[in-house]
Amino acid sequence: MSYTIEFIKSMFPDSLTAAIVIILTVLVFWMYKELRNNFLESSKSNQQRIDKALEAYSDLEFEIYKYSNERSDLFTVTEKMSKASSLMTYDLLKQYIKFKETTDEALKKDLLLKFHKEVENEIYRLKFMQTDSVTFKTDKDGSVNNFV
């Protein structure tokens, strides 16, 4: 930083102009640092929310899959739906409420199948948005590709 100040002083013989340039330079660097930190924190927060939603939707999707293969009961599926409801999109939430309020068993199974497809699509959408994936694939030539 002292080299920068000496460089500015040599460029501006007038001390007032040099002081203004130094203050503006420090201000620009400080603003850049703050904006960068805010951007990084925001990105980190978004990724944490995506990771949390992926976890909740994956648990829910698997529970619906277990139910469709008669390995789980409807109460457990509804409980998983309830836990994931805070992370659901508006459309998924409307489908969940409609499912929960339905008393007809045949219609309930139909709604659950449609809901299952929508949850799968949401998992794909969130996985596409996830920037820090841990899934790697090795090509035949030995190179590693990262899939997001």
Side-chain angles (χ1 to χ4, degrees):
M1 187 72 169
S2 64
Y3 294 117
T4 307
I5 294 171
E6 291 300 322
F7 174 73
I8 293 171
K9 281 183 181 178
S10 67
M11 292 203 44
F12 302 101
D14 180 19
S15 63
L16 179 63
T17 308
I20 291 172
V21 170
I22 290 170
I23 290 171
L24 287 176
T25 304
V26 169
L27 185 64
V28 166
F29 282 124
W30 176 75
M31 286 177 54
Y32 169 76
K33 181 183 169 192
E34 288 298 316
L35 289 173
R36 183 176 176 275
N37 285 341
N38 286 340
F39 174 75
L40 292 175
E41 285 297 318
S42 176
S43 296
K44 182 179 175 182
S45 175
N46 286 341
Q47 284 305 307
Q48 287 173 339
R49 287 193 339 246
I50 288 172
D51 292 344
K52 184 177 177 182
L54 272 171
E55 184 178 339
Y57 285 151
S58 296
D59 286 345
L60 173 58
E61 189 275 333
F62 186 63
E63 198 64 43
I64 295 171
Y65 174 78
K66 287 187 335 188
Y67 175 75
S68 66
N69 288 306
E70 299 177 359
R71 303 268 187 210
S72 182
D73 60 353
L74 201 56
F75 181 79
T76 308
V77 171
T78 307
E79 183 180 25
K80 292 277 185 175
M81 286 175 151
S82 176
K83 287 180 181 177
S85 67
S86 65
L87 302 167
M88 288 181 188
T89 62
Y90 181 72
D91 292 333
L92 277 177
L93 188 61
K94 283 184 359 184
Q95 289 180 13
Y96 160 64
I97 291 170
K98 186 176 181 180
F99 169 80
K100 191 171 67 171
E101 292 174 350
T102 302
T103 56
D104 182 21
E105 289 299 317
L107 181 59
K108 210 169 188 87
K109 285 187 178 188
D110 226 19
L111 290 172
L112 188 60
L113 287 175
K114 289 178 186 175
F115 186 81
H116 186 233
K117 288 293 179 196
E118 290 297 320
V119 168
E120 286 177 337
N121 290 337
E122 189 65 17
I123 290 171
Y124 290 138
R125 188 184 70 77
L126 288 171
K127 191 64 178 172
F128 182 73
M129 291 173 53
Q130 189 181 33
T131 59
D132 188 19
S133 179
V134 293
T135 306
F136 289 92
K137 179 181 177 184
T138 305
D139 287 341
K140 292 177 185 174
D141 64 353
S143 63
V144 176
N145 295 320
N146 186 9
F147 289 94
V148 180

